[in-house]
Structures are given as C-alpha cells and as structure tokens.
Amino acid sequence: MASAFPKLPGFVPTQDIDKPNFRKVSSTKQEQNREVNHLPNKEYAVPRKQPIQIPPQSGMFNPDYMSTTHAMHLPKNVTNDSEELYQPSWVKMDRHVLRFSGYFKEAVVESALENYRIRKITICYYLEDHSLSITEPKQENSGVPQGAFLKRQKVLRADDSKTFILPEDFRINQDIIIFGKTIRLYDCDQYTREFYELQGIPQQPSFAPQSDSFETKTMTKFIPQKDTVMKDYLEHKLGGGRVTSQKQFLENDRKVLKFYVFSDIEYILHYYLADDTIEIKEINSANSGRVPFPMMLRRQKLPRKFSLNQPGQTYAEDFIRPQDIQYGQPLIIYNRKFFINGCDQFTRYYYLEKFNVDFPLGGQEEQVPQERSNIIIPPHNGIGDEQDSLGYIYRLQPKPPKKDFFKWVDNQVNLRFLAMFNTTKPEDKDRVFVITFFLNDDSLLVYEPTVRNSGIPDGKFLEKRKYKNVNNNNEFFNPNDLIVGNEVVINGWKFQLLDCDEFTQKWYAQNFK
C-alpha cells in the first residue's frame, strides 16, 4: 500500500528529535513505523448529538440539496434512521470537542518581580480525528506572546509507545505531557463531564490553580469606592452637575423667591427653588458715590455656618432652606447680618401657601437704566453682513448675531430662477443670470453662466448674502418678492425674472396657494 507521507526529514511522527542523521530508509520500513495511522478511530458514546447547521439555500443552484461538511448532496427533506449505522467514525464524531483548562509553570529569569509564571491554557480535543489544539488567553501587559499555543494536530504520547494521545489520558488534577510541557488539568466544561460519565470514568471535581506574583501584584486591580458626594461637589464647582432631586428641578424650574434685605445698603436676595441656591445683588442708584458692583454674592448654596467641613462632607441639612428665612430675624451670611425688609408678591403667596406665614411686601426696587436714544445708526457701507456690523454700534465688544437654528435645519431648500438684465444697453440686454434664494437664511446668490465668445467673464455676479428690496421698504428679500415675470432690484441691478426650475414651481404651488 502506497503511503501519502512525504519522504522528507521532520515529517515522520515517530522520528527522534535528537537524531542527527536523516538518511533515507525504505518505504516498507516507514510503513511499519507508521502503522498506527492505519488503525481505525475508536467510536465513543457522546452525550448529545450536535445539530446540523443548514446553510442558506437561496444562492445555490438546486435548493432541494444542501452543502455541509460531510454531506455534499444530501436532500434536506429526507430523514433516515438507518443512516447513522453506515456512517464512518469521523462523521459521527464530527463537531464533538472535549475542552479542558490547564496550566504549567514557566521559570522567569532576570526579574525582581517574579521567579516563575503560571501560564493558563485551554486544550480542545477533537474526537473526529483524535487531534488537539492549545490556546492561551491573552493577558494585558503580560510580556509573553499569547494566543494560539499549539495548532491542531495529533500528538504522540510521551511514553515512547508510538501511539497518539487519547481521551483516556486527560484526567483532572493529573499531569499530561505534550511536547515536553507538563500540564496540570484543573477544569473542564459540562459537555466534557457528561462525555466521561458515559464512558464510566467520571472526572474529578475542578479546583482553582495557584496564582503567581504577576497575577497578584499586576493583574489585581484596585477598585476604588465611588464618592458620589465629592463627585457632585466637583461637578457643581466646574459649573455642571445635576440637582439632587430631578423632581424638584422639574416642578420649581424658573421659580425664584425675591427678598429685599438691608446691610449698610439695600440689596436684593434671590432664592432659586430649583436647586436651593442663593444670590445677592447690589442695588445701584445714580449719584450714590459708590462704585457699581452687580453681585455682592454669586449664586451658590448658602451654608448655615461660616466654616464648612471638607469638600464632599457637607450635607444638604447644613445649607439654608426657605423655612430658615423669617421676617424680623436677621439672616447671617458668612458672619454678616442681613435684615429682611420685605418680599415680592410671588414670594408672599408661596410662604402663605407653603408655610402659612404672612410675609410683608415692600422694599427698594432696582433702578432700570434708561435706554439711550441718541445712538445714530449709520447706513450700511455694503461690506459684510449688516447684522454683523450692527454689533459694533450697540456693544464695545461685539457679539456675533444669533441665527435661527430651527429655520436653518428645517429649510435646507434652494429656489432657482432664470433672469436677465432689464436694460436697453445692447451689450447687457442678452446676458443671462441664475438667481438662487436660500430659504435657511434668506440669502441670495447671483451667478452668470458661461456664454462662449461673449467677452464677458462667467462666475459669481453677486456674493451670497442678504440683500434689501428697495421696492418693499428696504426689507430683506423673501420668497414673496421673487415672482416669475416681475422685476426685482438687487444691489442696484435690475433683473427681469424669466423662469424657474421644476422644484421651485412645486414649492410655490404647495406654499402659496
């Protein structure tokens, strides 16, 4: 019988590793050495049958047949009980895998952290052809290449019997030698335990392997306890965070208690019911001789005592609440007394309904500065946006104008018109333009398309920005001003609207009926 093994050194399973001479031998001698390959595989009683995974039939030539690992042209609708009697062992044992967990000890040199390393591996034994594979789970910062430890192959026993490792060689809490590595097995999965119970050799109970210095010092992570009070304090200090009670915020948002207090001068105290914070504003009056300062105390939770505990150790009971503010009694704020003179109408109604206390009205109101009417707005010079230029008139440090965000998002639509100059000049009366109106910001763009041999450069004729309609009280252009057949004046140029595209016609038909 001819052998399929290649006659090359290193491909003979029974060859000694330390053999220095690789002279050719006869094929008969090699067949005698490899007669173990021709022995039939032993069949075992398996716990449960693996379900056959039927591939999708949509892309196949004939949908009545399926293609699997070992049944190439087996009808998917045919079931025969006698089929298993004539199946070979490598078909019956297909997809039946025994899974063991083991470890071996490896020496570590030139390391002050550890002397040895416990390397945990997973052994998968395939009953189909009695082959096995070994993988090592990866550990972070282990310094050892991990993953596929041994590719799937048959492994000879270490007792020089020239036979392969069988399932009987795997016993929990015992050693197995694979290619010179002594591996101690400590666990297996549930299917493997059921398999050995059917064979009459149940496995021993699992145990936890010993740990090494790398696992105890490096892999063991310290899990700190979360200090929610400190986290809330730091978030509020940075201007964020949430209120303690979401229900309190939703019910009392934009509800503020207003008190008129006195401490050498008049102040206004605001108490925000949404998050129990307090702020004190200074009342500035004309010719008071004092430097105007808007805030005497910025918005914050007001403690009952001047000294507090460490950050994160101050509780809600240590801060002032609405019931602590009483008429006729001074309110001590950071060792400074504030006398309450009165409150507004909303605060009086709140105390009467909540605490059944009649709080008196009254107090000095904050003076509202008069609006200056001597601001002269110069005409726009045509450079840039007019709204952007107005920011330099009302403020010393201008702010960019706010845009309507919802209008920008909901109206990503452009209206396109075809126009010509409304003029009698012979060199301009045949020029054609495309006017685009952007609904998201009411801006216009005038573009002149290419005309060959005209001598006029094509491209943008007017930049994209908002233009005023001189025929409509200098208001900005809107879709009502752009009607086909009418004349429009844009930046001093007279255009006659000739036509529009199909989308623009549908848009006007839906919005202007």
Side-chain angles (χ1 to χ4, degrees):
M1 179 178 179
S3 175
F5 258 92
K7 308 302 186 295
L8 295 175
F11 282 82
V12 182
T14 59
Q15 192 172 35
D16 297 333
I17 299 177
D18 56 349
K19 182 179 180 181
N21 192 354
F22 296 99
R23 291 179 297 179
K24 292 184 178 180
V25 296
S26 63
S27 61
T28 306
K29 184 65 176 176
Q30 291 183 6
E31 290 297 333
Q32 293 176 0
N33 295 336
R34 291 194 302 269
E35 62 181 7
V36 66
N37 294 335
H38 307 297
L39 297 178
N41 292 335
K42 183 180 178 181
E43 296 184 5
Y44 298 93
V46 294
R48 48 185 179 271
K49 185 178 180 181
Q50 298 293 334
I52 299 177
Q53 299 179 0
I54 302 178
Q57 309 291 325
S58 59
M60 301 182 62
F61 177 76
N62 190 351
D64 294 334
Y65 291 87
M66 67 178 183
S67 176
T68 59
T69 306
H70 302 297
M72 299 300 297
H73 300 287
L74 180 66
K76 65 178 182 179
N77 298 326
V78 177
T79 58
N80 191 359
D81 297 337
S82 63
E83 179 183 345
E84 297 183 0
L85 299 178
Y86 302 98
Q87 287 181 347
S89 61
W90 48 271
V91 174
K92 293 182 180 180
M93 298 293 109
D94 185 28
R95 292 187 294 273
H96 292 275
V97 183
L98 306 180
R99 188 174 185 271
F100 294 90
S101 298
Y103 69 91
F104 64 92
K105 185 182 295 186
E106 185 179 53
V108 178
V109 296
E110 298 181 359
S111 176
L113 178 64
E114 54 185 346
N115 297 325
Y116 63 91
R117 179 77 62 87
I118 299 296
R119 300 184 62 176
K120 300 179 182 178
I121 58 176
T122 301
I123 304 175
C124 294
Y125 188 88
Y126 303 89
L127 296 175
E128 173 190 355
D129 55 354
H130 296 288
S131 62
L132 58 91
S133 64
I134 302 177
T135 58
E136 183 178 5
K138 294 185 178 181
Q139 292 178 327
E140 187 179 0
N141 299 326
S142 64
V144 179
Q146 298 172 328
F149 192 82
L150 179 66
K151 293 184 179 180
R152 179 176 175 179
Q153 57 182 283
K154 289 185 177 182
V155 179
L156 291 174
R157 290 172 175 171
D159 54 358
D160 295 333
S161 61
K162 298 182 181 181
T163 57
F164 296 115
I165 294 178
L166 297 177
E168 292 81 5
D169 300 329
F170 293 94
R171 305 297 299 168
I172 292 181
N173 203 11
Q174 293 184 9
D175 296 336
I176 183 173
I177 301 176
I178 300 177
F179 288 124
K181 293 287 186 182
T182 303
I183 302 173
R184 175 62 63 92
L185 304 179
Y186 66 88
D187 193 11
C188 64
D189 60 0
Q190 183 62 30
Y191 176 80
T192 305
R193 291 189 177 276
E194 295 177 3
F195 172 81
Y196 279 95
E197 289 178 359
L198 290 177
Q199 312 308 320
I201 46 174
Q203 292 285 351
Q204 297 183 12
S206 306
F207 66 94
Q210 59 179 338
S211 58
D212 52 7
S213 301
F214 175 78
E215 185 177 0
T216 55
K217 295 182 179 180
T218 308
M219 300 302 297
T220 303
K221 296 182 178 180
F222 173 73
I223 303 176
Q225 297 181 356
K226 294 184 178 179
D227 191 353
T228 56
V229 179
M230 173 63 76
K231 180 181 177 182
D232 183 72
Y233 166 76
L234 294 176
E235 288 180 351
H236 282 81
K237 187 176 181 181
L238 296 175
R242 296 182 178 180
V243 295
T244 306
S245 174
Q246 195 75 12
K247 182 174 180 294
Q248 175 187 356
F249 175 79
L250 296 176
E251 291 181 352
N252 300 308
D253 187 25
R254 303 178 67 85
K255 294 183 179 180
V256 184
L257 304 180
K258 186 176 182 180
F259 301 92
Y260 303 99
V261 297
F262 176 82
S263 177
D264 69 3
I265 62 171
E266 299 286 342
Y267 296 97
I268 294 179
L269 187 146
H270 290 154
Y271 188 98
Y272 295 87
L273 297 174
D275 54 357
D276 297 326
T277 55
I278 290 177
E279 70 176 8
I280 300 178
K281 298 179 63 177
E282 181 178 330
I283 301 178
N284 299 317
S285 59
N287 301 325
S288 62
R290 301 175 64 92
V291 178
F293 197 77
M295 283 291 176
M296 192 266 181
L297 180 67
R298 65 179 179 87
R299 182 176 175 180
Q300 58 182 282
K301 283 191 175 183
L302 187 60
R304 300 177 186 270
K305 300 178 182 179
F306 179 72
S307 59
L308 294 175
N309 297 326
Q310 295 294 328
Q313 297 181 358
T314 303
Y315 303 99
E317 293 78 9
D318 297 334
F319 298 101
I320 291 180
R321 304 298 298 275
Q323 55 268 23
D324 300 328
I325 304 176
Q326 300 178 7
Y327 179 74
Q329 296 184 3
L331 184 63
I332 301 177
I333 301 176
Y334 293 114
N335 285 347
R336 184 173 180 177
K337 292 184 179 180
F338 287 82
F339 298 93
I340 301 175
N341 297 331
C343 64
D344 62 350
Q345 184 64 35
F346 173 78
T347 307
R348 182 181 184 183
Y349 176 76
Y350 176 83
Y351 272 84
L352 188 62
E353 182 182 10
K354 190 78 174 178
F355 307 106
N356 197 18
V357 175
D358 189 9
F359 224 103
L361 299 175
Q364 182 180 355
E365 288 287 349
E366 186 177 7
Q367 295 183 358
V368 180
Q370 298 181 357
E371 296 183 0
R372 297 182 179 181
S373 59
N374 56 353
I375 298 179
I376 300 176
I377 301 177
H380 184 51
N381 57 2
I383 301 176
D385 192 1
E386 183 176 359
Q387 293 182 350
D388 194 13
S389 301
L390 290 175
Y392 290 90
I393 298 176
Y394 298 109
R395 297 180 62 90
L396 183 62
Q397 296 180 354
K399 293 183 178 181
K402 294 183 179 180
K403 294 183 179 181
D404 191 347
F405 175 76
F406 296 99
K407 181 179 180 181
W408 177 271
V409 174
D410 298 337
N411 296 282
Q412 295 291 334
V413 178
N414 302 335
L415 307 180
R416 292 162 55 89
F417 301 89
L418 183 66
M420 294 182 62
F421 272 142
N422 191 0
T423 181
T424 57
K425 294 182 179 181
E427 63 272 12
D428 291 339
K429 65 179 182 179
D430 294 332
R431 297 175 64 179
V432 180
F433 300 89
V434 177
I435 302 176
T436 305
F437 184 82
F438 300 88
L439 289 175
N440 51 10
D441 57 354
D442 296 335
S443 59
L444 278 172
L445 172 65
V446 181
Y447 180 83
E448 186 173 4
T450 304
V451 179
R452 298 185 62 184
N453 300 328
S454 63
I456 300 176
D458 58 334
K460 285 190 295 185
F461 185 78
L462 291 177
E463 292 284 345
K464 178 191 174 184
R465 64 182 181 87
K466 300 175 70 173
Y467 293 93
K468 290 187 176 181
N469 188 2
V470 295
N471 298 327
N472 189 16
N473 298 326
N474 282 333
E475 297 289 339
F476 290 110
F477 273 98
N478 57 66
N480 296 328
D481 302 330
L482 302 175
I483 304 298
V484 176
N486 294 350
E487 179 189 78
V488 293
V489 180
I490 304 176
N491 203 25
W493 299 91
K494 296 182 180 180
F495 294 93
Q496 185 72 28
L497 301 181
L498 303 178
D499 198 3
C500 62
D501 58 2
E502 183 179 355
F503 176 81
T504 305
Q505 294 178 3
K506 293 181 180 179
W507 188 87
Y508 272 92
Q510 294 175 0
N511 296 274
F512 295 93
K513 296 181 180 180

